[in-house]
Amino acid sequence: MEFTDKRQTAIVIASGPSANDAELERLVGWPVVVVNDCWRLYSGADILYACDYQWWDKYAADTDAFSGERVTQSKESAERYGLTYIKGEAGLGFSEQHGVVKNNHNSGAQAMQLAHQRGARRLILIGFDGGPLGGRMHWFGNHPKGLANDSPWHAVIAGHRQMAIDAERMGIEIINTSRHSAIDCYSKARLTDCL
């Protein structure tokens, strides 16, 4: 799917605890990319992105109910479950190579790059908390055994800082609507003021 309408805006929903409080009913009609379990929070998304093969091994059958495109950087998962493959590479910031996303130590930043490569020049972020909130790591609680529940938060934040530098150079507007976020390198606004 390409985000080619005149607004060139995409909403990216990550798994941070604050995603649970967002007014997601306002997203109808907007291009939306969800990360991992967020498809359960907003099933009307256009794209579901999950990078880890462990996640797909656990949830691929469940996501058959998802009507949008399913994307991963796991070549093995793409072949096994009929997903769209995008190449992942080490590094921070935005990849300027189409069909490649830089790791940035988190799936949310990878999904942002995917949305940009699909035509978005304005990214509205939901659930980008950059750390635990109220003792919770994700809006749904913890992943089950075998899936990672923690992230190297200093590295995640460093990745977003490079993303912000690249975005300014590339003419990409990024707005973080997460109320309490350790990711402080993007402009902040309420979701209702962005749509």
Side-chain angles (χ1 to χ4, degrees), residues 54-111:
Q54 297 97 327
W55 191 90
W56 286 108
D57 284 350
K58 181 140 189 82
Y59 295 117
D62 293 347
T63 67
D64 285 344
F66 178 73
S67 62
E69 182 182 7
R70 301 177 303 164
V71 181
T72 186
Q73 64 169 291
S74 166
K75 197 166 202 172
E76 178 183 322
S77 297
E79 292 170 359
R80 181 179 296 163
Y81 302 116
L83 314 174
T84 301
Y85 172 72
I86 187 167
K87 183 178 179 185
E89 68 179 15
L92 303 180
F94 273 88
S95 174
E96 296 191 53
Q97 184 178 352
H98 193 77
V100 177
V101 293
K102 288 186 180 179
N103 179 276
N104 288 286
H105 303 284
N106 73 102
S107 298
Q110 296 162 29

Short mmCIF file of all heavy atoms in Angstrom, two decimals, residues 54-111:
data_model
loop_
_atom_site.label_atom_id
_atom_site.label_comp_id
_atom_site.label_asym_id
_atom_site.label_seq_id
_atom_site.Cartn_x
_atom_site.Cartn_y
_atom_site.Cartn_z
N GLN A 54 10.23 -14.47 16.10
CA GLN A 54 9.59 -15.08 17.27
C GLN A 54 8.14 -14.59 17.41
O GLN A 54 7.25 -15.37 17.75
CB GLN A 54 10.35 -14.74 18.57
CG GLN A 54 11.76 -15.28 18.60
CD GLN A 54 12.78 -14.22 18.19
OE1 GLN A 54 12.51 -13.36 17.36
NE2 GLN A 54 13.98 -14.32 18.75
N TRP A 55 7.93 -13.30 17.14
CA TRP A 55 6.58 -12.74 17.24
C TRP A 55 5.67 -13.38 16.18
O TRP A 55 4.55 -13.79 16.47
CB TRP A 55 6.61 -11.22 17.07
CG TRP A 55 5.30 -10.57 17.42
CD1 TRP A 55 4.91 -10.11 18.64
CD2 TRP A 55 4.20 -10.34 16.52
NE1 TRP A 55 3.62 -9.61 18.56
CE2 TRP A 55 3.17 -9.73 17.27
CE3 TRP A 55 3.98 -10.58 15.16
CZ2 TRP A 55 1.95 -9.36 16.71
CZ3 TRP A 55 2.76 -10.23 14.60
CH2 TRP A 55 1.76 -9.61 15.37
N TRP A 56 6.18 -13.49 14.95
CA TRP A 56 5.37 -14.08 13.89
C TRP A 56 5.08 -15.56 14.16
O TRP A 56 3.98 -16.03 13.90
CB TRP A 56 6.04 -13.90 12.52
CG TRP A 56 5.92 -12.50 12.04
CD1 TRP A 56 6.91 -11.57 11.95
CD2 TRP A 56 4.73 -11.84 11.60
NE1 TRP A 56 6.42 -10.38 11.49
CE2 TRP A 56 5.08 -10.51 11.27
CE3 TRP A 56 3.40 -12.23 11.46
CZ2 TRP A 56 4.16 -9.58 10.80
CZ3 TRP A 56 2.47 -11.31 10.99
CH2 TRP A 56 2.85 -10.01 10.67
N ASP A 57 6.06 -16.29 14.69
CA ASP A 57 5.82 -17.70 15.01
C ASP A 57 4.69 -17.85 16.02
O ASP A 57 3.91 -18.80 15.95
CB ASP A 57 7.10 -18.35 15.56
CG ASP A 57 8.13 -18.65 14.48
OD1 ASP A 57 7.78 -18.54 13.27
OD2 ASP A 57 9.27 -18.98 14.83
N LYS A 58 4.59 -16.91 16.94
CA LYS A 58 3.54 -16.98 17.96
C LYS A 58 2.19 -16.48 17.46
O LYS A 58 1.15 -17.03 17.80
CB LYS A 58 3.96 -16.19 19.20
CG LYS A 58 2.95 -16.23 20.32
CD LYS A 58 3.63 -16.35 21.65
CE LYS A 58 2.66 -16.61 22.77
NZ LYS A 58 2.27 -17.98 22.91
N TYR A 59 2.18 -15.41 16.62
CA TYR A 59 0.93 -14.72 16.31
C TYR A 59 0.51 -14.72 14.84
O TYR A 59 -0.53 -14.16 14.51
CB TYR A 59 1.01 -13.27 16.79
CG TYR A 59 1.12 -13.14 18.29
CD1 TYR A 59 2.24 -12.57 18.87
CD2 TYR A 59 0.09 -13.58 19.12
CE1 TYR A 59 2.34 -12.43 20.25
CE2 TYR A 59 0.18 -13.44 20.49
CZ TYR A 59 1.30 -12.88 21.05
OH TYR A 59 1.40 -12.74 22.41
N ALA A 60 1.27 -15.31 13.95
CA ALA A 60 0.92 -15.24 12.52
C ALA A 60 -0.49 -15.75 12.26
O ALA A 60 -1.25 -15.14 11.50
CB ALA A 60 1.93 -16.00 11.68
N ALA A 61 -0.85 -16.86 12.86
CA ALA A 61 -2.20 -17.42 12.63
C ALA A 61 -3.27 -16.45 13.11
O ALA A 61 -4.31 -16.28 12.44
CB ALA A 61 -2.34 -18.77 13.33
N ASP A 62 -3.04 -15.79 14.24
CA ASP A 62 -4.01 -14.80 14.74
C ASP A 62 -4.17 -13.65 13.76
O ASP A 62 -5.27 -13.13 13.57
CB ASP A 62 -3.56 -14.23 16.09
CG ASP A 62 -3.57 -15.25 17.21
OD1 ASP A 62 -4.14 -16.34 17.02
OD2 ASP A 62 -3.01 -14.96 18.27
N THR A 63 -3.06 -13.23 13.14
CA THR A 63 -3.13 -12.06 12.26
C THR A 63 -3.77 -12.38 10.91
O THR A 63 -3.95 -11.46 10.10
CB THR A 63 -1.73 -11.45 12.04
OG1 THR A 63 -0.92 -12.36 11.30
CG2 THR A 63 -1.07 -11.07 13.35
N ASP A 64 -4.14 -13.61 10.67
CA ASP A 64 -4.90 -13.92 9.46
C ASP A 64 -6.21 -13.13 9.45
O ASP A 64 -6.76 -12.86 8.38
CB ASP A 64 -5.19 -15.42 9.36
CG ASP A 64 -3.96 -16.22 8.96
OD1 ASP A 64 -2.98 -15.61 8.47
OD2 ASP A 64 -3.97 -17.44 9.17
N ALA A 65 -6.68 -12.72 10.63
CA ALA A 65 -7.91 -11.92 10.73
C ALA A 65 -7.66 -10.46 10.38
O ALA A 65 -8.61 -9.70 10.18
CB ALA A 65 -8.47 -12.03 12.15
N PHE A 66 -6.40 -10.06 10.28
CA PHE A 66 -6.06 -8.67 9.95
C PHE A 66 -6.19 -8.49 8.44
O PHE A 66 -5.60 -9.23 7.66
CB PHE A 66 -4.62 -8.38 10.41
CG PHE A 66 -4.15 -7.00 10.08
CD1 PHE A 66 -4.63 -5.90 10.77
CD2 PHE A 66 -3.22 -6.79 9.07
CE1 PHE A 66 -4.20 -4.61 10.48
CE2 PHE A 66 -2.77 -5.51 8.76
CZ PHE A 66 -3.26 -4.43 9.47
N SER A 67 -6.94 -7.47 8.01
CA SER A 67 -7.23 -7.33 6.58
C SER A 67 -6.20 -6.49 5.83
O SER A 67 -6.22 -6.46 4.60
CB SER A 67 -8.62 -6.72 6.38
OG SER A 67 -8.66 -5.42 6.97
N GLY A 68 -5.29 -5.84 6.54
CA GLY A 68 -4.28 -5.03 5.87
C GLY A 68 -3.06 -5.84 5.46
O GLY A 68 -3.04 -7.07 5.55
N GLU A 69 -2.04 -5.14 5.04
CA GLU A 69 -0.78 -5.76 4.63
C GLU A 69 0.06 -6.08 5.86
O GLU A 69 0.14 -5.29 6.80
CB GLU A 69 -0.02 -4.79 3.71
CG GLU A 69 1.28 -5.33 3.18
CD GLU A 69 2.03 -4.32 2.32
OE1 GLU A 69 1.60 -3.14 2.23
OE2 GLU A 69 3.06 -4.71 1.75
N ARG A 70 0.70 -7.24 5.85
CA ARG A 70 1.58 -7.65 6.96
C ARG A 70 3.02 -7.63 6.46
O ARG A 70 3.33 -8.24 5.44
CB ARG A 70 1.19 -9.04 7.46
CG ARG A 70 -0.26 -9.10 7.95
CD ARG A 70 -0.69 -10.48 8.38
NE ARG A 70 -0.52 -11.45 7.30
CZ ARG A 70 -0.51 -12.78 7.46
NH1 ARG A 70 -0.68 -13.30 8.67
NH2 ARG A 70 -0.35 -13.59 6.44
N VAL A 71 3.89 -6.91 7.20
CA VAL A 71 5.26 -6.66 6.74
C VAL A 71 6.25 -7.05 7.84
O VAL A 71 6.00 -6.84 9.02
CB VAL A 71 5.45 -5.16 6.39
CG1 VAL A 71 6.87 -4.89 5.89
CG2 VAL A 71 4.42 -4.71 5.35
N THR A 72 7.40 -7.59 7.42
CA THR A 72 8.45 -7.98 8.35
C THR A 72 9.81 -7.82 7.71
O THR A 72 9.92 -7.79 6.48
CB THR A 72 8.28 -9.43 8.82
OG1 THR A 72 9.24 -9.73 9.84
CG2 THR A 72 8.45 -10.41 7.67
N GLN A 73 10.86 -7.78 8.55
CA GLN A 73 12.23 -7.84 8.03
C GLN A 73 12.81 -9.24 8.21
O GLN A 73 13.98 -9.46 7.91
CB GLN A 73 13.12 -6.78 8.67
CG GLN A 73 13.34 -6.93 10.14
CD GLN A 73 14.42 -6.02 10.63
OE1 GLN A 73 15.60 -6.21 10.32
NE2 GLN A 73 14.04 -5.02 11.40
N SER A 74 11.98 -10.17 8.69
CA SER A 74 12.41 -11.56 8.81
C SER A 74 12.08 -12.28 7.50
O SER A 74 10.91 -12.55 7.20
CB SER A 74 11.71 -12.25 9.98
OG SER A 74 11.87 -13.65 9.89
N LYS A 75 13.12 -12.58 6.72
CA LYS A 75 12.90 -13.26 5.44
C LYS A 75 12.24 -14.62 5.65
O LYS A 75 11.35 -15.02 4.89
CB LYS A 75 14.23 -13.41 4.71
CG LYS A 75 14.10 -13.71 3.25
CD LYS A 75 15.42 -13.51 2.54
CE LYS A 75 15.11 -13.28 1.07
NZ LYS A 75 16.28 -12.90 0.30
N GLU A 76 12.67 -15.32 6.69
CA GLU A 76 12.10 -16.64 7.01
C GLU A 76 10.60 -16.52 7.30
O GLU A 76 9.80 -17.30 6.78
CB GLU A 76 12.83 -17.21 8.23
CG GLU A 76 12.30 -18.55 8.69
CD GLU A 76 13.04 -19.01 9.96
OE1 GLU A 76 14.26 -18.80 10.06
OE2 GLU A 76 12.37 -19.59 10.82
N SER A 77 10.20 -15.52 8.10
CA SER A 77 8.78 -15.34 8.42
C SER A 77 7.98 -14.93 7.19
O SER A 77 6.86 -15.38 7.00
CB SER A 77 8.62 -14.28 9.52
OG SER A 77 9.22 -14.70 10.72
N ALA A 78 8.58 -14.08 6.35
CA ALA A 78 7.89 -13.64 5.14
C ALA A 78 7.55 -14.84 4.25
O ALA A 78 6.43 -14.96 3.75
CB ALA A 78 8.75 -12.64 4.38
N GLU A 79 8.52 -15.74 4.09
CA GLU A 79 8.29 -16.92 3.25
C GLU A 79 7.31 -17.89 3.91
O GLU A 79 6.43 -18.43 3.25
CB GLU A 79 9.62 -17.61 2.98
CG GLU A 79 10.53 -16.80 2.09
CD GLU A 79 11.96 -17.33 1.99
OE1 GLU A 79 12.27 -18.35 2.64
OE2 GLU A 79 12.76 -16.70 1.27
N ARG A 80 7.44 -18.09 5.20
CA ARG A 80 6.61 -19.06 5.91
C ARG A 80 5.15 -18.62 6.02
O ARG A 80 4.24 -19.43 5.90
CB ARG A 80 7.17 -19.30 7.32
CG ARG A 80 6.36 -20.33 8.12
CD ARG A 80 6.94 -20.57 9.49
NE ARG A 80 8.27 -21.14 9.38
CZ ARG A 80 9.16 -21.17 10.36
NH1 ARG A 80 8.88 -20.64 11.53
NH2 ARG A 80 10.33 -21.72 10.17
N TYR A 81 4.92 -17.32 6.23
CA TYR A 81 3.56 -16.85 6.53
C TYR A 81 2.96 -15.96 5.45
O TYR A 81 1.89 -15.40 5.63
CB TYR A 81 3.55 -16.12 7.88
CG TYR A 81 4.04 -16.98 9.01
CD1 TYR A 81 5.20 -16.64 9.71
CD2 TYR A 81 3.37 -18.15 9.38
CE1 TYR A 81 5.67 -17.43 10.75
CE2 TYR A 81 3.84 -18.94 10.42
CZ TYR A 81 4.98 -18.58 11.09
OH TYR A 81 5.45 -19.36 12.12
N GLY A 82 3.64 -15.81 4.32
CA GLY A 82 3.08 -15.00 3.22
C GLY A 82 3.06 -13.52 3.52
O GLY A 82 2.09 -12.83 3.20
N LEU A 83 4.13 -13.00 4.11
CA LEU A 83 4.23 -11.60 4.48
C LEU A 83 5.04 -10.83 3.45
O LEU A 83 5.78 -11.41 2.67
CB LEU A 83 4.93 -11.47 5.85
CG LEU A 83 4.48 -12.42 6.96
CD1 LEU A 83 5.37 -12.26 8.18
CD2 LEU A 83 3.02 -12.17 7.31
N THR A 84 4.90 -9.52 3.46
CA THR A 84 5.75 -8.66 2.65
C THR A 84 7.08 -8.50 3.36
O THR A 84 7.13 -8.22 4.55
CB THR A 84 5.10 -7.28 2.45
OG1 THR A 84 3.83 -7.45 1.81
CG2 THR A 84 5.98 -6.37 1.60
N TYR A 85 8.16 -8.68 2.62
CA TYR A 85 9.51 -8.60 3.20
C TYR A 85 10.11 -7.23 2.92
O TYR A 85 10.03 -6.71 1.81
CB TYR A 85 10.40 -9.69 2.60
CG TYR A 85 11.85 -9.58 2.97
CD1 TYR A 85 12.28 -9.88 4.26
CD2 TYR A 85 12.79 -9.16 2.02
CE1 TYR A 85 13.63 -9.78 4.60
CE2 TYR A 85 14.13 -9.07 2.35
CZ TYR A 85 14.54 -9.38 3.65
OH TYR A 85 15.86 -9.28 3.98
N ILE A 86 10.72 -6.64 3.97
CA ILE A 86 11.53 -5.44 3.81
C ILE A 86 12.87 -5.72 4.49
O ILE A 86 12.90 -6.29 5.59
CB ILE A 86 10.84 -4.19 4.38
CG1 ILE A 86 11.62 -2.92 4.05
CG2 ILE A 86 10.60 -4.32 5.89
CD1 ILE A 86 10.85 -1.63 4.30
N LYS A 87 13.94 -5.36 3.86
CA LYS A 87 15.27 -5.69 4.39
C LYS A 87 15.60 -4.80 5.59
O LYS A 87 15.39 -3.59 5.56
CB LYS A 87 16.32 -5.50 3.31
CG LYS A 87 17.72 -5.88 3.75
CD LYS A 87 18.72 -5.71 2.64
CE LYS A 87 20.10 -6.09 3.15
NZ LYS A 87 21.13 -5.86 2.16
N GLY A 88 16.13 -5.40 6.65
CA GLY A 88 16.60 -4.66 7.81
C GLY A 88 18.11 -4.59 7.80
O GLY A 88 18.78 -5.50 7.31
N GLU A 89 18.65 -3.48 8.31
CA GLU A 89 20.09 -3.34 8.42
C GLU A 89 20.43 -2.63 9.72
O GLU A 89 19.61 -1.88 10.27
CB GLU A 89 20.69 -2.59 7.23
CG GLU A 89 20.31 -1.13 7.14
CD GLU A 89 20.95 -0.42 5.95
OE1 GLU A 89 21.45 -1.10 5.04
OE2 GLU A 89 20.93 0.82 5.94
N ALA A 90 21.63 -2.87 10.23
CA ALA A 90 22.08 -2.21 11.45
C ALA A 90 22.22 -0.72 11.19
O ALA A 90 22.45 -0.28 10.06
CB ALA A 90 23.41 -2.80 11.89
N GLY A 91 22.06 0.07 12.24
CA GLY A 91 22.28 1.51 12.12
C GLY A 91 21.16 2.32 12.72
O GLY A 91 20.11 1.80 13.12
N LEU A 92 21.41 3.62 12.81
CA LEU A 92 20.46 4.56 13.39
C LEU A 92 19.99 5.54 12.32
O LEU A 92 20.70 5.81 11.36
CB LEU A 92 21.11 5.35 14.53
CG LEU A 92 21.70 4.54 15.69
CD1 LEU A 92 22.30 5.47 16.72
CD2 LEU A 92 20.67 3.62 16.29
N GLY A 93 18.79 6.07 12.51
CA GLY A 93 18.24 7.07 11.61
C GLY A 93 17.38 6.46 10.51
O GLY A 93 17.04 5.28 10.54
N PHE A 94 17.02 7.30 9.56
CA PHE A 94 16.21 6.88 8.41
C PHE A 94 17.10 6.26 7.35
O PHE A 94 18.14 6.81 7.00
CB PHE A 94 15.52 8.09 7.78
CG PHE A 94 14.20 8.44 8.39
CD1 PHE A 94 14.15 9.31 9.47
CD2 PHE A 94 13.01 7.93 7.89
CE1 PHE A 94 12.94 9.65 10.04
CE2 PHE A 94 11.80 8.26 8.46
CZ PHE A 94 11.77 9.13 9.53
N SER A 95 16.68 5.13 6.83
CA SER A 95 17.34 4.58 5.65
C SER A 95 16.86 5.35 4.44
O SER A 95 15.68 5.62 4.30
CB SER A 95 17.01 3.10 5.47
OG SER A 95 17.54 2.62 4.26
N GLU A 96 17.78 5.71 3.59
CA GLU A 96 17.39 6.41 2.36
C GLU A 96 17.36 5.45 1.18
O GLU A 96 17.16 5.87 0.05
CB GLU A 96 18.34 7.59 2.12
CG GLU A 96 18.20 8.63 3.22
CD GLU A 96 18.91 9.93 2.91
OE1 GLU A 96 18.66 10.49 1.83
OE2 GLU A 96 19.71 10.37 3.75
N GLN A 97 17.52 4.18 1.46
CA GLN A 97 17.45 3.15 0.43
C GLN A 97 16.06 2.52 0.48
O GLN A 97 15.67 1.94 1.50
CB GLN A 97 18.53 2.10 0.67
CG GLN A 97 18.60 1.05 -0.40
CD GLN A 97 19.71 0.06 -0.13
OE1 GLN A 97 20.52 0.23 0.77
NE2 GLN A 97 19.73 -1.00 -0.93
N HIS A 98 15.32 2.62 -0.61
CA HIS A 98 13.96 2.07 -0.63
C HIS A 98 14.01 0.55 -0.43
O HIS A 98 14.86 -0.13 -0.96
CB HIS A 98 13.26 2.40 -1.95
CG HIS A 98 11.79 2.13 -1.92
ND1 HIS A 98 10.91 2.98 -1.30
CD2 HIS A 98 11.07 1.10 -2.39
CE1 HIS A 98 9.69 2.48 -1.40
NE2 HIS A 98 9.77 1.34 -2.06
N GLY A 99 13.10 0.05 0.39
CA GLY A 99 13.04 -1.38 0.66
C GLY A 99 13.97 -1.84 1.76
O GLY A 99 14.13 -3.03 1.98
N VAL A 100 14.56 -0.85 2.49
CA VAL A 100 15.48 -1.15 3.60
C VAL A 100 15.10 -0.27 4.78
O VAL A 100 14.81 0.92 4.61
CB VAL A 100 16.95 -0.87 3.21
CG1 VAL A 100 17.88 -1.11 4.38
CG2 VAL A 100 17.35 -1.73 2.01
N VAL A 101 15.09 -0.86 5.98
CA VAL A 101 14.89 -0.06 7.20
C VAL A 101 16.08 -0.28 8.13
O VAL A 101 16.58 -1.39 8.26
CB VAL A 101 13.57 -0.41 7.94
CG1 VAL A 101 12.36 -0.01 7.12
CG2 VAL A 101 13.49 -1.89 8.31
N LYS A 102 16.53 0.81 8.74
CA LYS A 102 17.60 0.72 9.74
C LYS A 102 16.99 0.25 11.06
O LYS A 102 15.85 0.59 11.39
CB LYS A 102 18.29 2.07 9.91
CG LYS A 102 19.16 2.44 8.72
CD LYS A 102 19.95 3.70 9.00
CE LYS A 102 20.82 4.05 7.81
NZ LYS A 102 21.57 5.30 8.06
N ASN A 103 17.76 -0.47 11.82
CA ASN A 103 17.29 -1.13 13.03
C ASN A 103 16.84 -0.16 14.12
O ASN A 103 15.76 -0.32 14.68
CB ASN A 103 18.39 -2.06 13.56
CG ASN A 103 18.00 -2.76 14.81
OD1 ASN A 103 18.16 -2.20 15.90
ND2 ASN A 103 17.48 -3.98 14.69
N ASN A 104 17.66 0.80 14.50
CA ASN A 104 17.33 1.78 15.53
C ASN A 104 16.95 1.17 16.88
O ASN A 104 16.38 1.84 17.72
CB ASN A 104 16.22 2.72 15.07
CG ASN A 104 16.70 3.70 14.03
OD1 ASN A 104 17.41 4.65 14.33
ND2 ASN A 104 16.33 3.46 12.78
N HIS A 105 17.17 -0.11 17.05
CA HIS A 105 16.88 -0.81 18.31
C HIS A 105 15.40 -0.84 18.68
O HIS A 105 15.06 -1.08 19.83
CB HIS A 105 17.69 -0.21 19.47
CG HIS A 105 19.16 -0.23 19.22
ND1 HIS A 105 19.91 -1.39 19.33
CD2 HIS A 105 20.01 0.75 18.83
CE1 HIS A 105 21.17 -1.10 19.04
NE2 HIS A 105 21.26 0.17 18.73
N ASN A 106 14.51 -0.56 17.71
CA ASN A 106 13.08 -0.68 18.02
C ASN A 106 12.22 -0.72 16.77
O ASN A 106 12.52 -0.09 15.75
CB ASN A 106 12.62 0.43 18.98
CG ASN A 106 12.52 1.78 18.34
OD1 ASN A 106 11.44 2.23 18.03
ND2 ASN A 106 13.65 2.45 18.15
N SER A 107 11.14 -1.47 16.88
CA SER A 107 10.22 -1.68 15.76
C SER A 107 9.46 -0.41 15.39
O SER A 107 9.09 -0.22 14.23
CB SER A 107 9.22 -2.79 16.09
OG SER A 107 9.89 -4.00 16.30
N GLY A 108 9.19 0.45 16.37
CA GLY A 108 8.47 1.69 16.07
C GLY A 108 9.22 2.54 15.06
O GLY A 108 8.63 3.05 14.10
N ALA A 109 10.53 2.69 15.26
CA ALA A 109 11.35 3.47 14.32
C ALA A 109 11.39 2.80 12.95
O ALA A 109 11.42 3.47 11.92
CB ALA A 109 12.75 3.66 14.88
N GLN A 110 11.39 1.48 12.93
CA GLN A 110 11.36 0.76 11.66
C GLN A 110 10.04 1.01 10.93
O GLN A 110 10.02 1.23 9.71
CB GLN A 110 11.60 -0.72 11.91
CG GLN A 110 12.97 -1.02 12.48
CD GLN A 110 13.07 -2.38 13.13
OE1 GLN A 110 12.37 -3.31 12.77
NE2 GLN A 110 13.93 -2.49 14.12
N ALA A 111 8.94 0.99 11.68
CA ALA A 111 7.62 1.24 11.09
C ALA A 111 7.52 2.67 10.56
O ALA A 111 6.86 2.92 9.54
CB ALA A 111 6.53 0.96 12.10
#
